[in-house]
């Protein structure tokens, strides 16, 4: 599972840093096949239909990702 | 630190939209549209309807402008903006309760929960000194009007089925500075308030608000004034988990700052002076660089006033060094520096939240910026100030014989400190006081989880040591 948490300033400010923190604390060492990338701005936050923070999982874009939503995305994957 | 909530997201969205329009010079015309952007027609309202949500957003905006929202209730946005632009200010308190947003949560109450097993013994009722617990349909019931909140029922229930519920703001406040008016609305007792900001982050309705210098700073930047940014040491990782201070320096210059100073260079001066003071005084010294800690001693435990170090905080040292042609903007993690700035020759204070909103508004991704060397670089001992225990380490570094001084620290003021501090002062020579848990990296206006900041700070200090 390839996860990209957008860490552009806008996503970082709207909770992206929490997603990164959650991932570091709970996902990195639990043996599941996660691959984390922390790209600079993925440039979705400026598009009208998307709202920060943005996460991309295996090519699919999720927006307004809270820690709660992030947990669900990771569980389904 | 807890994960951010919708309250912080809304606050940051408002700040970002305000900055964007202020930078673009269209705020006067577009300020009225912000509340609709925050709560669009299709949105699920938080309160009764989107119109109510918008009203509260509008009140928040007026507080950011440092104008009294009640006074400006029926004033047009253009006129409101003009008043702000002409320098009119209502001198709002740094922290206040937005009454319209306050839920008026019930004060300390005891509730019987579903866990009540309707037991035969009912020790809750048996031990109630006022006999206000009755058993109805087998379930205990507390007469709230008569209950004196002694808590004996909680202690005696064998199922822990009775709970005590407090107001979140009161719970969060370590100095008992939250009171309630006749309508049940929270009020801040400014004689006790130490501006720690716990109520700001603790209220789940977002009813505690802070005034801001952000728009004034943007105005100065766009008018080409010479502004110097003073970066507090806890700034590491606040705008991106991978951005560096030199990258941030470029970002700040892009939005118009003339110079960028790492406050850590002034913090090292504070540490050295504090070390000399400790050696001269031969002990019983309380650190002076966290203003909330200083207000705590002054307001709550004034008996220890004379123990507060006379050494100026890094921000005050920077203020004393101010050149006549520059405006100093302190950028930091806390509310209380907004107060300290008024006594320190500092022109403006921005929080990390406010600066991040400004950078987001200008679409600047700090980690993508080139690296620029700051105009004044810090000393690693100054950077240590960012975390709990770091100030002590820096002071010890400057002591001729550090082993002669016993040290301790207060890592976050809590409600029990009032009882403990006397013994603490008695036992040691130097106490580092930090109002926030983890020190400045745990401040109320930080963006990054302190767990991450701590790690990034350690890496950074290791690199420059």
């Amino acid at each position: 599972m390839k996860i990209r948490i957008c860490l552009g300033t806008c996503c970082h400010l709207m909770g992206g840093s929490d997603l990164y923190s959650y991932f570091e604390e709970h996902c990195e060492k639990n043996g599941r096949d996660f691959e984390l990338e922390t790209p600079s701005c993925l440039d979705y936050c400026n598009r009208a239909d998307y709202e920060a923070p943005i996460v991309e999982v295996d090519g699919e874009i999720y927006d307004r990702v809270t820690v709660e939503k992030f947990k669900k995305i990771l569980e389904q994957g | 630190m807890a994960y951010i909530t919708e309250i912080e997201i809304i606050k940051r969205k408002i700040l970002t939209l305000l900055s964007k329009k202020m930078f673009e010079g269209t705020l006067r015309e577009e300020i009225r549209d912000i509340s609709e952007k925050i709560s669009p027609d299709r949105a699920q309202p938080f309160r009764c309807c989107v119109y109510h949500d918008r009203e509260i957003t509008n009140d928040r905006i007026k507080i950011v402008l440092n104008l009294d929202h009640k006074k400006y209730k029926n004033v047009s946005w253009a006129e409101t903006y003009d008043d702000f632009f002409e320098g009119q200010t209502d001198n709002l308190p740094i922290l206040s309760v937005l009454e319209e947003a306050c839920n008026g949560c019930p004060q300390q109450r005891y509730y019987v929960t579903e866990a009540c097993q309707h037991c035969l013994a009912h020790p809750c009722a048996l031990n109630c000194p006022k006999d206000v617990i009755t058993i109805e349909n087998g379930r205990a019931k507390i007469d709230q009007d008569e209950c004196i909140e002694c808590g004996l029922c909680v202690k005696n229930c064998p199922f822990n089925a009775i709970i005590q519920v407090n107001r979140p703001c009161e719970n969060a406040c370590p100095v008992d500075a939250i009171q309630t008016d006749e309508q049940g609305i929270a009020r801040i007792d400014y004689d006790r308030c130490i501006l720690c900001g716990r109520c700001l982050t603790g209220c789940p309705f977002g009813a505690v608000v802070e005034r801001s210098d952000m728009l004034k700073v943007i105005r100065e930047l766009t008018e080409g004034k010479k502004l110097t940014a003073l970066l507090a040491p806890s700034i590491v990782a606040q705008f991106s988990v991978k951005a560096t201070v030199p990258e941030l320096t470029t970002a700040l210059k892009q939005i118009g700052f003339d110079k960028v100073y790492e406050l850590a260079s002034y913090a090292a001066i504070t540490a050295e002076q504090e070390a000399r003071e400790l050696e001269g005084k031969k002990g019983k010294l309380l650190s002076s660089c966290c203003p909330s800690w200083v207000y705590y001693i002054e307001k709550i435990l004034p008996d220890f006033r004379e123990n507060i170090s006379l050494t100026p905080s890094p921000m005050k040292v920077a203020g004393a060094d101010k050149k006549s042609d520059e405006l100093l903007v302190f950028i930091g993690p806390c509310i209380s520096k907004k107060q300290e700035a008024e006594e320190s020759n500092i022109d403006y204070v921005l929080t990390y939240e406010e600066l991040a909103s400004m950078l987001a508004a200008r679409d600047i991704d700090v980690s993508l910026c080139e690296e620029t060397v700051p105009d004044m670089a810090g000393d690693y001992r100054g950077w240590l100030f960012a975390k709990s225990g770091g100030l002590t380490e820096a002071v010890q570094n400057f002591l001729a014989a550090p082993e002669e001084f016993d040290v301790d620290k207060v890592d976050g003021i809590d409600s029990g400190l009032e009882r403990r501090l006397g013994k603490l002062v008695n036992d040691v020579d130097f106490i580092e006081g930090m109002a926030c848990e983890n020190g400045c990296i745990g401040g109320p206006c930080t963006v990054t989880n302190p767990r991450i900041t701590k790690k990034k700070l350690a890496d950074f200090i290791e690199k420059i040591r």
Side-chain angles (χ1 to χ4, degrees):
Chain A
M1 201 176 194
K2 194 173 169 186
I3 298 146
R4 304 175 80 200
I5 302 173
C6 175
L7 289 176
T9 312
C10 187
C11 286
H12 178 83
L13 178 64
M14 299 303 176
S17 71
D18 279 352
L19 303 179
Y20 175 80
S21 170
Y22 175 83
F23 190 91
E24 259 210 331
E25 199 169 12
H26 299 280
C27 306
E28 256 179 356
K29 296 174 196 108
N30 70 356
R32 281 181 66 184
D33 193 17
F34 288 126
E35 190 191 324
L36 179 73
E37 255 186 56
T38 51
S40 301
C41 189
L42 289 171
D43 218 12
Y44 277 91
C45 49
N46 269 329
R47 299 198 197 172
D49 337 343
Y50 292 94
E51 241 180 83
I54 306 284
V55 172
E56 189 188 308
V57 179
D58 289 335
E60 198 170 334
I61 297 288
Y62 297 86
D63 79 334
R64 301 183 70 163
V65 184
T66 56
V67 170
E68 233 172 327
K69 191 168 166 183
F70 192 49
K71 277 183 212 169
K72 278 191 197 130
I73 297 170
L74 294 176
E75 275 162 22
Q76 283 161 7
Chain B
M1 197 170 88
Y3 295 125
I4 73 162
T5 67
E6 205 59 39
I7 306 287
E8 275 115 5
I9 292 179
I10 291 175
K11 177 180 167 195
R12 293 171 185 184
K13 275 187 189 166
I14 295 174
L15 291 173
T16 306
L17 283 168
L18 283 169
S19 317
K20 193 175 170 64
K21 300 191 185 308
M22 191 73 191
F23 270 119
E24 289 167 357
T26 57
L27 188 59
R28 187 178 190 269
E29 295 74 40
E30 296 185 60
I31 194 166
R32 78 192 74 232
D33 306 330
I34 291 177
S35 63
E36 205 179 320
K37 282 216 167 71
I38 301 289
S39 314
D41 289 332
R42 61 186 160 77
Q44 181 70 35
F46 290 116
R47 296 180 174 82
C48 59
C49 57
V50 288
Y51 303 101
H52 192 179
D53 285 346
R54 286 177 197 168
E55 263 318 289
I56 293 191
T57 297
N58 286 331
D59 290 344
R60 280 180 201 283
I61 292 172
K62 285 168 194 163
I63 291 163
V64 172
L65 298 176
N66 201 355
L67 294 173
D68 182 347
H69 65 281
K70 281 187 199 147
K71 216 169 95 187
Y72 281 83
K73 198 153 199 75
N74 297 314
V75 179
S76 76
W77 269 117
E79 226 175 297
T80 306
Y81 179 84
D82 288 343
D83 280 0
F84 155 73
F85 201 76
E86 280 154 25
Q88 177 101 13
T89 160
D90 284 324
N91 282 323
L92 302 179
I94 291 168
L95 271 184
S96 54
V97 175
L98 180 57
E99 289 168 29
E100 290 75 2
C102 176
N103 184 51
C105 303
Q107 279 177 288
Q108 182 172 309
R109 284 267 174 91
Y110 291 88
Y111 292 103
V112 181
T113 66
E114 294 286 317
C116 171
Q117 297 295 309
H118 355 112
C119 65
L120 199 58
H122 46 76
C124 54
L126 209 62
N127 289 288
C128 174
K130 291 287 169 191
D131 291 329
V132 300
I133 301 184
T134 49
I135 309 296
E136 281 177 28
N137 302 326
R139 159 87 53 92
K141 189 168 180 287
I142 300 171
D143 180 348
Q144 297 291 353
D145 294 334
E146 300 296 323
C147 171
I148 56 161
E149 293 156 6
C150 66
L152 278 173
C153 53
V154 176
K155 281 201 195 100
N156 283 291
C157 173
F159 302 102
N160 298 323
I162 304 177
I163 54 163
Q164 181 191 344
V165 179
N166 283 339
R167 298 178 140 216
C169 51
E170 275 181 39
N171 253 356
C173 180
V175 293
D176 213 2
I178 305 268
Q179 297 176 343
T180 312
D181 70 9
E182 308 79 54
Q183 275 78 43
I185 302 297
R187 293 257 178 243
I188 297 173
D189 175 356
Y190 294 105
D191 290 336
R192 293 187 68 85
C193 175
I194 58 169
L195 295 169
C196 64
R198 304 264 180 93
C199 53
L200 181 80
T201 49
C203 170
F205 288 90
V208 182
V209 287
E210 63 186 300
R211 73 160 196 239
S212 168
D213 286 341
M214 187 186 73
L215 294 176
K216 285 187 214 145
V217 171
I218 297 174
R219 182 180 171 187
E220 304 274 23
L221 290 171
T222 52
E223 287 179 357
K225 299 273 175 52
K226 280 192 165 178
L227 271 68
T228 298
L230 296 166
L231 312 184
S234 51
I235 207 158
V236 174
Q238 289 298 333
F239 307 103
S240 154
V241 294
K242 49 184 186 177
T244 63
V245 176
E247 284 166 347
L248 177 64
T249 304
T250 308
L252 287 165
K253 297 210 167 176
Q254 273 180 25
I255 60 171
F257 278 93
D258 178 47
K259 289 201 169 68
V260 177
Y261 295 166
E262 295 179 2
L263 196 73
S265 61
Y266 291 113
I269 297 174
T270 296
E272 185 172 9
Q273 271 194 40
E274 201 138 75
R276 296 293 89 81
E277 190 183 353
L278 182 58
E279 285 166 341
K281 200 171 182 179
K282 301 205 167 35
K284 305 295 168 213
L285 199 62
L286 307 179
S287 69
S288 62
C289 62
C290 167
S292 286
W293 160 253
V294 173
Y295 302 148
Y296 176 77
I297 301 296
E298 288 176 347
K299 293 182 175 183
I300 311 298
L301 293 169
D303 286 352
F304 297 105
R305 241 187 124 126
E306 61 191 48
N307 296 99
I308 302 174
S309 160
L310 299 171
T311 300
S313 72
M315 181 167 95
K316 285 185 174 167
V317 179
D321 195 30
K322 183 178 147 172
K323 319 283 178 297
S324 58
D325 66 337
E326 66 179 352
L327 291 168
L328 292 180
V329 184
F330 175 88
I331 300 168
C334 64
I335 308 287
S336 52
K337 284 284 175 192
K338 296 188 184 194
Q339 176 73 49
E340 201 196 24
E342 290 176 7
E343 312 139 22
S344 322
N345 209 18
I346 296 291
D347 299 282
Y348 299 109
V349 172
L350 288 178
T351 65
Y352 298 145
E353 244 181 349
E354 289 162 347
L355 180 61
S357 302
M358 287 163 65
L359 293 168
R362 296 310 275 160
D363 279 331
I364 292 174
D365 187 337
V366 183
S367 67
L368 291 179
C369 290
E370 300 281 315
E371 300 210 319
T372 309
V373 181
D375 301 278
M376 189 189 288
D379 181 305
Y380 83 90
R381 289 164 294 195
W383 284 101
L384 286 168
F385 276 54
K387 54 161 191 166
S388 165
L391 162 69
T392 310
E393 209 181 317
V395 171
Q396 282 174 324
N397 199 285
F398 283 107
L399 288 171
E403 65 286 352
E404 286 174 14
F405 297 91
D406 288 327
V407 299
D408 209 336
K409 62 178 181 181
V410 170
D411 180 8
I413 292 171
D414 59 59
S415 51
L417 184 63
E418 243 178 287
R419 292 190 305 276
R420 295 197 315 269
L421 194 72
K423 187 174 180 321
L424 212 55
V425 174
N426 218 11
D427 290 351
V428 299
D429 303 304
F430 178 76
I431 296 172
E432 169 196 300
M434 293 286 168
C436 299
E437 204 182 327
N438 288 311
C440 307
I441 57 172
C445 302
T446 51
V447 179
T448 306
N449 194 306
R451 210 173 53 80
I452 296 177
T453 319
K454 204 186 262 176
K455 226 190 283 175
K456 300 279 173 189
L457 181 77
D459 293 348
F460 176 71
I461 290 175
E462 199 45 52
K463 220 173 86 186
I464 61 168
R465 205 169 194 140

